[in-house]
Amino acid sequence: QVSPALRTPRLPVWLCSVSGRHSVLFGTDSRLLSDWKSERIFHLYFYSGQQKQTQTAHLTIDTHSHLWEEAQREDPCSPGKRRPALEMAIRTKWAGATVSWNGTDPFF
């Protein structure tokens, strides 16, 4: 029998398959599960289990920033237009969100 805590998580957790590798994206704020207003600026943590990842990446997600609109004016072939696959996966839930890696070099 599955524990009720496993069926209804107390904290937001997403199991991801990014670029063919399994990883975990999670938050420590339970309000993300029930209060859409808390989805303005929030923190997520990412762990991939790769050898080169020595610590969990701390990401700040801003769903109301409009910096991405300026980037859309760039030439689609420019190197500045490309984003890490993890950021694109996050944008499947929060379209147009900006992702700050907080000093960590983006990977994936």
Side-chain angles (χ1 to χ4, degrees):
Q1 183 177 5
V2 177
S3 166
L6 291 176
R7 290 184 295 209
T8 308
R10 293 190 177 126
L11 295 173
V13 176
W14 295 273
L15 299 177
C16 307
S17 178
V18 180
S19 301
R21 295 185 180 251
H22 294 88
S23 53
V24 178
L25 184 66
F26 62 95
T28 57
D29 185 354
S30 62
R31 293 178 303 159
L32 282 175
L33 295 171
S34 60
D35 183 10
W36 62 269
K37 294 175 189 171
S38 65
E39 293 184 0
R40 168 69 172 88
I41 295 178
F42 55 94
H43 303 280
L44 294 177
Y45 301 89
F46 179 74
Y47 182 72
S48 67
Q50 292 183 14
Q51 286 183 333
K52 66 182 179 180
Q53 186 182 2
T54 58
Q55 60 185 10
T56 303
H58 173 215
L59 309 172
T60 301
I61 315 300
D62 184 348
T63 60
H64 287 72
S65 175
H66 295 289
L67 297 175
W68 57 274
E69 290 178 338
E70 294 174 13
Q72 285 182 346
R73 291 186 223 139
E74 292 179 14
D75 178 9
C77 297
S78 79
K81 186 74 172 172
R82 297 188 65 184
R83 299 285 182 242
L86 177 61
E87 288 185 27
M88 300 312 291
I90 290 170
R91 289 188 183 115
T92 63
K93 171 120 175 94
W94 296 284
T98 57
V99 178
S100 169
W101 288 75
N102 297 311
T104 303
D105 288 333
F107 50 91
F108 269 100

